[in-house]
Amino acid sequence: MTVKGGQGERQVSAPDVDSSRATVLHVDMDAFFASVELLEHPELVDKPVIIGHDGGRGVVSSANYAARRFGVRSAMPVGRALRLCPQAVVLRPHYEKYREASAAVMTIFRSVTPIVEPLSIDEAFLDVAGAVKLFGPPAVIAAELRRRVHRETGLTCSVGAGASKFIAKLASTRSKPDGLLVVPPDRVLEFLHPLPIDALWGVGPATRDALQRRGIRLVADLAATPPDVLTKWVGPAAGTKLHDLAWARDPRRVSTHRVEKSIGHENTFGQDIRDEEQLRRELLEQASRVAVRLRAAGYRARTISLKLRFADFTTVSRSHTLAEPTDLAKRIHEETTALLTAERLRGRAVRLLGTRAEQLMRAEDEMLGLWSDDEQWRGVESAADRAVARFGAGAVRPAALLHARGRDRERLVDTEG
């Protein structure tokens, strides 16, 4: 394994790395939305590019690496991104293009192995254990996959290879952009333990700071901390999983099982609505309903979409892919209200409003996201779920909705899907 730069820099594999037992691949497209857009704007390849809706409260859907060097990140308000990088070019997103590119890439993956587990539109796990007799060792398979993706789509991807999903995903992240990193099982702790704790995807700033205050700075420090001590700090479930990951223990298998594609709720109003504040309250209730259904089904969503149908029956859909999947009404509502604001209604009458959670994955499969900064809020919403289950619908409601029903809303149809 060759390291380029310091501890926090990109890592790629040496050509002679032994990949024979690193049969789980994680393939992650590089700055996917931005890269797809740049295929039609080659003149912008070396310039900072932001994908999002400029103005208002639009958010960054993606940014190329030239923009990321200035601190621009997905889900950041476009206005803030432009303050960090005033010279950036803002391009509007075209989600149909991204879906087409994703389908082409997934077809390439499935030509190598049938055991492909898409995580989102731009990343997937592959189990290539059954493909080595046909195509060679995993490192050779990964290198050829990268070449084919670039040759057939014009896009680049980063690949991590390991004996588990956790290590493969972490390796692909460390190899970005446009890299390949193989972590042989006998060198996994050598790779893992020197990393800072926030290299573990899902360990957010709050968790990192809480652990650093206790002297836990590297993954090696986590590994050396007794599990019973960790559970006192972060709770039984998170403490146990943190300790397991610090020792590279991850029993999950690559699965082709498909979960439900989306969960949503929409309202058709008896009278068209022009008041954006009223629409935001509608979106809050929709977010609450969608989140409850996500948690009940054991799913989290990577993408949140907003649907608007106007008085003239014109219909538009807008969506945003999250950095981390969610099952929280708070996060869903933040996303849909940002999308609503970016649409700049200016008093245009809305006939139908909808919220949808898409790109679903099983919550238990997202073991790396268990310690994000949303965990405290997840506890609040889960407590509300229990109260509703015990006392009935309406037992717990957001304060903004306490007086809304029957006063300022008239629905013709409520629809869940």
Side-chain angles (χ1 to χ4, degrees), residues 380-401:
V380 172
E381 294 197 13
S382 296
D385 292 346
R386 293 191 294 272
V388 168
R390 180 174 181 182
F391 300 110
V396 179
R397 293 170 59 80
L401 299 179

Side-chain angles (χ1 to χ4, degrees), residues 89-355:
V89 177
V90 180
L91 300 177
R92 292 178 67 85
H94 297 89
Y95 296 104
E96 187 56 40
K97 291 181 185 178
Y98 313 148
R99 285 189 285 270
E100 291 175 2
S102 175
V105 168
M106 296 297 172
T107 297
I108 295 172
F109 297 166
R110 292 190 175 96
S111 71
V112 173
T113 174
I115 308 176
V116 176
E117 181 183 346
L119 289 183
S120 66
I121 195 171
D122 63 346
E123 61 177 319
F125 285 114
L126 288 71
D127 186 334
V128 298
V132 295
K133 291 184 178 179
L134 287 175
F135 303 114
V140 173
I141 294 173
E144 179 59 22
L145 274 174
R146 294 178 62 239
R147 283 191 290 268
R148 282 190 60 191
V149 167
H150 187 259
R151 183 174 66 245
E152 298 178 27
T153 70
L155 304 170
T156 64
C157 61
S158 299
V159 182
S164 68
K165 292 167 76 172
F166 165 55
I167 292 299
K169 184 172 174 65
L170 188 55
S172 71
T173 301
R174 303 292 294 179
S175 71
K176 279 187 162 296
D178 194 20
L180 166 60
L181 179 59
V182 178
V183 183
D186 60 350
R187 300 185 66 182
V188 67
L189 297 183
E190 175 188 338
F191 161 71
L192 183 61
H193 280 184
L195 298 179
I197 54 174
D198 56 2
L200 301 182
W201 187 80
V203 176
T207 305
R208 177 200 63 205
D209 293 347
L211 290 172
Q212 286 183 347
R213 285 195 296 271
R214 294 174 168 89
I216 308 298
R217 300 185 180 279
L218 304 177
V219 176
D221 300 328
L222 276 176
T225 304
D228 58 337
V229 174
L230 280 176
T231 59
K232 290 178 182 177
W233 292 346
V234 297
T240 299
K241 290 188 181 296
L242 273 172
H243 195 263
D244 284 344
L245 290 185
W247 287 101
R249 293 192 285 262
D250 176 13
R252 299 173 300 160
R253 310 292 295 179
V254 179
S255 172
T256 58
H257 173 69
R258 291 182 177 271
V259 300
E260 187 174 349
K261 289 186 176 180
S262 66
I263 288 176
H265 188 89
E266 61 185 40
N267 308 128
T268 300
F269 306 115
Q271 294 181 351
D272 298 342
I273 297 178
R274 297 178 183 273
D275 181 1
E276 285 196 34
E277 186 58 38
Q278 189 174 341
L279 291 172
R280 291 190 189 95
R281 287 197 297 271
E282 288 286 347
L283 289 175
L284 178 56
E285 177 150 348
Q286 290 181 357
S288 298
R289 293 192 182 198
V290 170
V292 167
R293 293 175 61 202
L294 284 170
R295 291 191 293 271
Y299 294 146
R300 291 182 188 174
R302 286 295 300 270
T303 297
I304 305 301
S305 69
L306 170 72
K307 180 179 178 181
L308 291 164
R309 180 169 296 148
F310 299 104
D312 61 0
F313 286 88
T314 301
T315 304
V316 299
S317 295
R318 301 287 183 256
S319 62
H320 181 245
T321 298
L322 309 175
E324 294 185 20
T326 191
D327 56 7
L328 296 179
K330 180 177 183 289
R331 289 283 173 254
I332 295 170
H333 185 239
E334 287 172 352
E335 294 299 326
T336 54
T337 53
L339 292 168
L340 179 71
T341 301
E343 199 58 30
R344 300 179 182 177
L345 298 182
R346 296 189 178 93
R348 193 174 181 187
V350 175
R351 173 184 175 84
L352 176 147
L353 187 67
T355 295

Side-chain angles (χ1 to χ4, degrees), residues 1-3 12-21 137-140 143 180-184 186-187:
M1 197 176 346
T2 320
V3 181
V12 295
S13 289
D16 60 347
V17 64
D18 177 12
S19 66
S20 58
R21 293 186 292 155
V140 173
L180 166 60
L181 179 59
V182 178
V183 183
D186 60 350
R187 300 185 66 182

